[in-house]
Amino acid sequence: MPHASAAGAAQPGVPVMPERCDFTVFGGTGNLALGKLLPALYQSDLEGHLPDDTRIIGVSLADLDDDAYRATVHDALLEHVGDLDDDTAERLLGRLHHVRLDIQDGSDWHRLYGVLKDRPHVDATVRVYYLAVAPTLFGPICRGLDEGGMTAAPARVVLEKPIGHDLASARAINAVVGEVFDEAQIFRIDHYLGKESVQNLLVTRFANTLLEPLWNSHWIDHVQITVAETVGVGERVGYYEQAGALRDMVQNHLLQLLCLVAMEPPIEVGREDVRDEKLKVLQALKPMTPAEIDRDTVRGRYGSGLVEGRQVSSYDEEVGLETPSLAPHEGYSTSEVSLTETFVALKVEVQNWRWAGVPFYLRTGKRMDRRSSEIVIVFKEPPHDVFPHRTGVTAPNRLHIQVQPDEGMRLHLTAKEPGPGGYRLKPVSLDLNFASAFSQRSPDAYERLLMDVVKGNPTLFMRRDEVEAAWAWCAPIIEHWAETGLPPKRYAAGSAGPTTAITLIERDGRSWQEDHL
Ligand code: BG6
């Protein structure tokens, strides 16, 4: 495979792959590193996208030498990648080092400084620091790196979500990281932006002329965005009980999807243009009043049930909560009740010229009946019915964008069923399945994003103002839910969520579109 940087001369402003990279992962033995980051680096190495002169330095509290860390990573690759290419695996493992470091202990840091300085051409090396740790450690890590003189550009720092718990904590994290790194050096990951189908949304909208004239309140009735998961909270109980679905999924992934649907065309898909346009959408989200929050949001929490043929426990059992099955007004004091939601549905408005009056219905939940992330654009009915005596069924046109699994698109149209005897109408669809349209493997989101960090391309990362605007919009909802103290509605695992989420959309004369590709 040719080296990525060998492909064509560098153009001004276009990020290029550096010759040398030290990729340091704080939390190097954690689930994210072993389950996602190292498999992504393996795939990049396999495809020839990793600079030849790359070292990967895992930092953790574990007492591992380089060989023991290599063995741990090898096992993780076997588990998460499956069949390994022997040469690539050997090369990747050869790049690995492990540094045992207690971030809070100043006397430990010399070990990491030593490894980072211990390489030829140290000054010409791009240093990437991936913080796959709790956000409370972001500040101490940045300060530790700064004290060792390890932060000068082209060093880059990658922040995993959650970036804060609310607006104030997000601002505090951004401030502490910003004391050490310039904004241009900070890469805040939202892995949804690395998904091929999400990037394809930009291409569908802005590399085709067909849709743009229709992409507004004149022709679109409403938009639905669903991210349904079959998994529960699993081992992340501690984090999740403090977070809930709004913080975990809506503040970041769903609002980012909404931004890509709603944004104006950027001047180009370059450094700042896309982020500028997404920020404008976040700023145009209508803040909700307490009465609107009561009316336009639904929270749920899964009970036990059957998911994909398997009986699973309730959230309360997983978390070890003694949660009553009755709501507070039925005799329970709210202080005994966890308020964490595993499902949320919302009706959202984007207050600008293009979207005035077009509701965006968002929903996300764990332990749902299926795993599916999808965006459905529902168009308006034709302005005049020229088939008043038709028979059969009609439905508004819909563009169904399947983000995962089975990425693709389906455009629902109305057609005449063949045969004599008047107009018998029937919904039909134009289908595009990416797996059959393209023979290439669809890379995992992290593969694309990690290589963008190494190249220094920030387009698919969240800027500070975006993260803070998203939190600012979520803040009144979080506060109002806490004030009312009502626990989320119960839904059976393996269902489509609480029935009130169905009412949320049906009271507007619309319904969730459940068709799958
Ligand atoms: C993460 C959330 O950001 O995204 C998880 O913290 C969630 O709770 C995950 O399960 C979903 O990602 P994906 O790529 O599996 O849809």
Side-chain angles (χ1 to χ4, degrees):
M1 286 271 180
H3 188 290
S5 61
Q11 294 169 33
V14 177
V16 286
M17 196 53 92
E19 300 272 318
R20 276 171 219 96
C21 176
D22 275 351
F23 198 104
T24 302
V25 183
F26 288 87
T29 52
N31 288 344
L32 180 68
L34 297 178
K36 288 285 183 191
L37 306 182
L38 285 150
L41 290 169
Y42 164 87
Q43 292 291 2
S44 299
D45 209 355
L46 178 68
E47 309 263 336
H49 294 155
L50 209 55
D52 288 339
D53 193 357
T54 295
R55 298 189 304 173
I56 301 168
I57 301 150
V59 175
S60 80
L61 277 171
D63 205 0
L64 299 173
D65 62 15
D66 289 348
D67 284 340
Y69 187 53
R70 287 175 185 143
T72 306
V73 172
H74 189 230
D75 289 346
L77 293 179
L78 286 171
E79 181 185 342
H80 296 282
V81 181
D83 279 346
L84 298 177
D85 173 73
D86 290 343
D87 291 345
T88 310
E90 196 182 322
R91 191 166 60 241
L92 188 96
L93 296 177
R95 299 180 187 284
L96 289 173
H97 301 270
H98 182 263
V99 174
R100 195 188 66 72
L101 168 59
D102 179 349
I103 289 155
Q104 310 281 10
D105 181 352
S107 64
D108 261 12
W109 277 86
H110 70 93
R111 282 199 281 271
L112 179 62
Y113 303 152
V115 173
L116 288 173
K117 287 182 186 153
D118 181 24
R119 66 129 72 222
H121 309 293
V122 65
D123 293 335
T125 301
V126 166
R127 289 181 177 147
V128 173
Y129 304 110
Y130 199 116
L131 311 194
V133 291
T136 45
L137 295 175
F138 290 178
I141 292 176
C142 290
R143 279 192 289 271
L145 291 169
D146 196 31
E147 278 161 24
M150 302 287 153
T151 56
R156 285 148 206 167
V157 64
V158 187
L159 308 183
E160 251 305 326
K161 69 173 269 272
I163 305 207
H165 189 69
D166 54 17
L167 181 57
S169 53
R171 281 190 176 140
I173 289 171
N174 283 330
V176 83
V177 177
E179 278 168 22
V180 173
F181 291 97
D182 289 338
E183 181 62 24
Q185 294 177 278
I186 304 172
F187 289 70
R188 297 177 191 81
I189 279 224
D190 183 317
H191 78 279
Y192 265 59
L193 295 177
K195 291 184 190 281
E196 283 291 321
S197 47
V198 175
Q199 292 163 51
N200 207 13
L201 187 55
L202 283 174
V203 178
T204 303
R205 285 197 58 199
F206 302 128
N208 296 291
T209 47
L210 207 60
L211 293 170
E212 180 54 23
L214 304 177
W215 210 261
N216 55 54
S217 61
H218 296 299
W219 300 105
I220 292 179
D221 178 74
H222 72 281
V223 176
Q224 304 183 7
I225 301 178
T226 299
V227 177
E229 301 183 275
T230 51
V231 292
V233 289
E235 293 168 2
R236 299 162 74 222
V237 163
Y239 153 74
Y240 201 89
E241 177 56 11
Q242 299 302 315
L246 186 84
R247 289 186 174 94
D248 186 48
M249 297 294 286
V250 176
Q251 185 271 343
N252 36 76
H253 307 324
L254 274 88
L255 288 186
Q256 287 292 318
L257 293 179
L258 183 152
C259 284
L260 295 179
V261 172
M263 67 189 255
E264 295 301 315
I267 295 170
E268 63 172 284
V269 179
R271 272 191 88 78
E272 299 302 337
D273 297 351
V274 173
R275 309 203 291 179
D276 288 344
E277 295 305 335
K278 285 194 293 160
L279 177 66
K280 289 181 204 161
V281 176
L282 292 168
Q283 289 169 336
L285 292 176
K286 181 173 181 287
M288 286 195 196
T289 62
E292 286 165 343
I293 296 167
D294 289 339
R295 190 191 62 201
D296 293 339
T297 71
V298 170
R299 304 156 68 226
R301 169 128 46 106
Y302 60 82
S304 56
L306 211 55
V307 179
E308 294 172 331
R310 198 168 55 90
Q311 181 66 30
V312 297
S313 310
S314 66
Y315 175 83
D316 299 348
E317 285 160 344
E318 284 182 357
V319 177
L321 290 169
E322 301 250 334
T323 307
S325 55
L326 300 174
H329 63 273
E330 291 170 305
Y332 276 88
S333 124
T334 52
S335 60
E336 299 165 19
V337 180
S338 154
L339 298 182
T340 306
E341 77 286 351
T342 61
F343 174 98
V344 58
L346 312 102
K347 179 180 171 187
V348 175
E349 272 181 64
V350 181
Q351 284 184 310
N352 63 18
W353 191 291
R354 186 188 284 262
W355 296 111
V358 178
F360 284 68
Y361 298 95
L362 314 184
R363 64 178 170 164
T364 182
K366 294 200 182 290
R367 288 281 190 239
M368 308 277 288
D369 49 351
R370 65 203 162 99
R371 173 174 181 256
S372 181
S373 301
E374 58 209 44
I375 299 167
V376 185
I377 315 290
V378 182
F379 292 90
K380 292 190 168 165
E381 298 276 5
H384 171 69
D385 185 0
V386 303
F387 302 101
H389 305 299
R390 59 160 183 229
T391 55
V393 187
T394 60
N397 295 144
R398 274 171 291 139
L399 179 66
H400 180 124
I401 300 165
Q402 185 71 32
V403 174
Q404 66 185 16
D406 305 325
E407 301 159 16
M409 265 184 237
R410 173 178 281 180
L411 181 61
H412 295 266
L413 303 166
T414 301
K416 176 185 176 302
E417 249 189 293
Y423 285 94
R424 199 162 57 249
L425 303 189
K426 192 177 174 203
V428 289
S429 62
L430 289 172
D431 291 359
L432 169 63
N433 178 287
F434 291 146
S436 42
F438 301 102
S439 55
Q440 296 95 321
R441 178 186 70 89
S442 191
D444 180 76
Y446 278 99
E447 285 175 58
R448 161 77 199 248
L449 294 176
L450 297 191
M451 290 308 98
D452 276 358
V453 176
V454 174
K455 281 194 271 188
N457 179 5
T459 309
L460 296 175
F461 295 82
M462 291 185 297
R463 218 165 45 192
R464 175 178 186 157
D465 47 10
E466 274 183 84
V467 172
E468 293 182 6
W471 275 123
W473 182 78
C474 291
I477 304 175
I478 295 171
E479 283 159 20
H480 182 67
W481 284 350
E483 270 163 29
T484 59
L486 292 172
K489 303 271 183 222
R490 189 64 62 101
Y491 64 95
S495 72
T499 46
T500 37
I502 299 172
T503 316
L504 174 82
I505 189 166
E506 291 198 342
R507 65 165 193 234
D508 294 343
R510 303 175 171 117
S511 56
W512 294 108
Q513 302 294 325
E514 307 285 2
D515 54 313
H516 310 303
L517 298 189

